[in-house]
Amino acid sequence: MNRCIYFFIFILFYLFGCKDINNVGENNKDVSSNERLHTIDFSGLLNTDSIIKLSDIAVDIEMIKLETDDDIFIDRLRDIEITDDYLFISDFKNLYQFSRSGEFIRKIGNRGRGPREYIYVVSLNINEDTKEIYIYCDISKKLLVYNFEGRFSHFFKLPAMADIEYVKDSLFLAYSKVIEGTEEHIFYLTNPDSDTIPLVKNNFKWEHKAKFYIGVFGKLTPFYEFNRNIFFKDIYNDTVYRMDRDSLIYEPAYIIDLGKYDMPDEKRLSYVVDGSQFKKYWDDYYQISIKETYKYLWFQYCTYNYNNPQIQYGLYNKRAGNIFTLIDEDNNKSQIINDFTGGPKFWPVQIEDNMLIDFIYPYELKAYFNEKVNNKNIETNKYLLKRKKLKEIAFQSSESDNPIIIIAYTK
């Protein structure tokens, strides 16, 4: 470890008062926890295809229908946090709390500009140890704290950021998108006193001369959690960093080598500030989002064409070292084949421990079961009871009902 990282760790302990300096034991199943930095050739995703069934990677699935009434309407589901007892669901405008079986409990907080209110739920984090909920609103630049009973605790101001991830105690890992060109750092640690410790430096700066700021936005999250570590990656950065949640030591974990598909800095939309110019080459380069389980890295990738992104999905087998894009039986780009229910294809929007979490809206499910082409799945599907349950949920639901949460438990 170089002196620079040691210096950062010293400053972290000084400013944030972190006293529990413990090294987490590595799980020997976690390939990513080896000291060797892994380089992954992105072109393999574009050149190799494979069909993966959900039963290949999971032992069981759970289907949870979220309660719906006039006061409980999830517009477009954005974030899901799951505990042993609760589901916390955000649609960007509101935060809802459900029981683990889907019964509505309460709405957390209210929209507004008051001290206890948020305008948007830009980032949602849960602290199971203290039973606290953290809601970050970038417009008001404040983080609101509620408990699991829905009671407001307090709020504090934070620097402007695009997203945050709870680390421990009063520490948060912040992500700052480079839009203005003058940003010093992309990732940094911060606390309620707005003390900041830089982690990943912004190496591409420019003098912004346009009258407005413009950039590529979306929900390709820069964070994921795996094996008690926090992983983070910027949209334009080829490095995935890993931070030990206890010691706060961070280091590169993966290099995603995009090769010719890597967007040059001088072609960023935030730099050229010219949509018509950007459209000339936006299909030539790719952006990626990553999640992780013990066996796989989960890739969600697309071009910078925000009019028609055509999101694709792929896996990197950490043990075998092979990478591939998912396809279906007809060789079409696909997600994972859900052979547990014979229902719509599956892709985890979130991964927590051994849970792969996805969701589907009733209107999508009803349309799927109404297609005659899917009748063949009824004859060949080996999980007929699960398929029957999903079909019952579909036709007992109104098209405007809240989504069905689907959880697959990995092997």
Side-chain angles (χ1 to χ4, degrees):
M1 186 179 296
N2 60 40
R3 294 181 180 178
C4 179
I5 294 180
Y6 274 125
F7 175 75
F8 277 139
I9 295 171
F10 173 79
I11 297 297
L12 285 168
F13 292 148
Y14 178 78
L15 284 182
F16 295 114
C18 299
K19 299 179 180 179
D20 53 335
I21 310 174
N22 301 310
N23 290 322
V24 178
E26 300 291 358
N27 188 317
N28 58 15
K29 293 194 298 181
D30 178 12
V31 178
S32 74
S33 296
N34 294 336
E35 293 183 358
R36 182 167 58 89
L37 178 65
H38 292 257
T39 299
I40 300 170
D41 182 8
F42 174 80
S43 65
L45 274 174
L46 306 181
N47 300 325
T48 309
D49 299 327
S50 183
I51 298 174
I52 295 291
K53 296 180 179 179
L54 195 53
S55 62
D56 294 333
I57 59 177
V59 294
D60 198 7
I61 65 168
E62 177 184 4
M63 293 169 280
I64 305 171
K65 185 180 185 308
L66 299 180
E67 182 182 345
T68 306
D69 69 23
D70 293 340
D71 298 322
I72 318 165
F73 178 70
I74 297 171
D75 188 5
R76 295 299 298 179
L77 193 151
R78 178 182 171 94
D79 282 314
I80 305 174
E81 291 285 348
I82 296 183
T83 70
D84 291 338
D85 300 314
Y86 304 115
L87 299 169
F88 295 95
I89 308 289
S90 164
D91 63 359
F92 193 55
K93 297 177 181 178
N94 298 287
L95 176 60
Y96 301 95
Q97 183 179 9
F98 295 85
S99 73
R100 195 60 174 70
S101 56
E103 291 83 10
F104 174 73
I105 297 177
R106 62 178 61 90
K107 188 167 75 169
I108 306 293
N110 293 290
R111 298 192 68 198
R113 297 181 180 272
R116 302 186 177 201
E117 298 172 326
Y118 49 83
I119 301 171
Y120 296 110
V121 183
V122 173
S123 182
L124 170 65
N125 284 265
I126 299 295
N127 184 343
E128 290 197 62
D129 294 332
T130 61
K131 309 299 183 190
E132 289 182 324
I133 306 162
Y134 307 115
I135 299 175
Y136 175 69
C137 177
D138 62 342
I139 294 179
S140 59
K141 298 180 184 178
K142 65 182 180 182
L143 188 110
L144 298 95
V145 183
Y146 298 84
N147 64 21
F148 279 16
E149 284 71 47
R151 290 193 296 272
F152 174 81
S153 174
H154 60 283
F155 80 91
F156 49 86
K157 289 286 187 176
L158 286 178
M161 60 190 78
D163 205 347
I164 65 169
E165 181 74 10
Y166 172 72
V167 181
K168 69 171 184 176
D169 301 328
S170 58
L171 285 176
F172 293 86
L173 179 59
Y175 171 53
S176 175
K177 285 188 177 180
V178 179
I179 299 296
E180 300 180 15
T182 59
E183 292 86 351
E184 291 292 334
H185 295 89
I186 305 171
F187 291 98
Y188 56 90
L189 282 169
T190 187
N191 67 5
D193 296 321
S194 291
D195 297 320
T196 59
I197 296 299
L199 299 181
V200 179
K201 187 177 180 180
N202 171 32
N203 293 313
F204 179 60
K205 294 183 179 180
W206 66 87
E207 183 181 353
H208 195 95
K209 297 181 179 180
K211 296 181 180 179
F212 55 90
Y213 299 114
I214 184 171
V216 175
F217 296 93
K219 190 48 183 172
L220 292 183
T221 175
F223 302 116
Y224 72 84
E225 182 178 346
F226 172 65
N227 200 23
R228 284 285 301 166
N229 296 317
I230 300 173
F231 293 75
F232 48 103
K233 178 191 175 299
D234 175 52
I235 183 174
Y236 297 111
N237 200 326
D238 62 0
T239 305
V240 180
Y241 293 90
R242 174 182 56 239
M243 172 181 282
D244 184 292
R245 188 175 239 116
D246 295 313
S247 68
L248 303 181
I249 295 174
Y250 75 101
E251 59 187 352
Y254 301 104
I255 298 293
I256 312 301
D257 184 8
L258 274 78
K260 67 179 183 180
Y261 304 107
D262 190 10
M263 171 77 75
D265 288 337
E266 293 77 12
K267 288 190 174 182
R268 297 184 188 184
L269 179 58
S270 51
Y271 178 75
V272 299
V273 199
D274 184 345
S276 61
Q277 178 66 26
F278 188 69
K279 290 179 181 179
K280 294 178 181 179
Y281 53 79
W282 64 4
D283 285 319
D284 297 335
Y285 307 106
Y286 283 88
Q287 53 179 309
I288 62 174
S289 179
I290 301 176
K291 300 180 182 68
E292 186 168 359
T293 55
Y294 281 113
K295 187 174 182 180
Y296 294 108
L297 288 182
W298 300 67
F299 285 85
Q300 186 173 340
Y301 65 98
C302 62
T303 68
Y304 287 85
N305 183 339
Y306 48 74
N307 284 341
N308 186 24
Q310 295 185 338
I311 296 176
Q312 299 180 48
Y313 306 86
L315 295 175
Y316 172 74
N317 189 317
K318 296 191 291 183
R319 296 168 183 168
N322 59 318
I323 190 170
F324 49 87
T325 287
L326 298 176
I327 58 172
D328 60 20
E329 297 89 339
D330 298 319
N331 290 321
N332 297 315
K333 302 300 182 183
S334 175
Q335 299 177 339
I336 293 172
I337 306 299
N338 189 347
D339 57 338
F340 277 101
T341 64
K345 297 178 179 66
F346 180 93
W347 183 261
V349 295
Q350 188 155 325
I351 297 176
E352 295 186 13
D353 298 325
N354 69 325
M355 296 186 296
L356 308 175
I357 306 163
D358 195 10
F359 68 92
I360 188 168
Y361 286 93
Y363 73 88
E364 297 173 315
L365 197 57
K366 292 166 87 69
Y368 181 88
F369 279 115
N370 282 330
E371 293 179 2
K372 293 181 179 180
V373 68
N374 292 303
N375 288 337
K376 62 181 181 181
N377 294 328
I378 298 177
E379 300 174 0
T380 60
N381 185 264
K382 57 183 178 180
Y383 301 99
L384 293 179
L385 290 179
K386 292 186 182 299
R387 179 180 176 85
K388 181 179 179 181
K389 179 181 178 181
L390 185 62
K391 198 169 184 178
E392 288 176 351
I393 290 175
F395 291 102
Q396 289 172 359
S397 302
S398 166
E399 289 193 357
S400 60
D401 277 1
N402 282 328
I404 297 102
I405 307 299
I406 301 176
I407 303 174
Y409 295 88
T410 59
K411 293 181 177 179

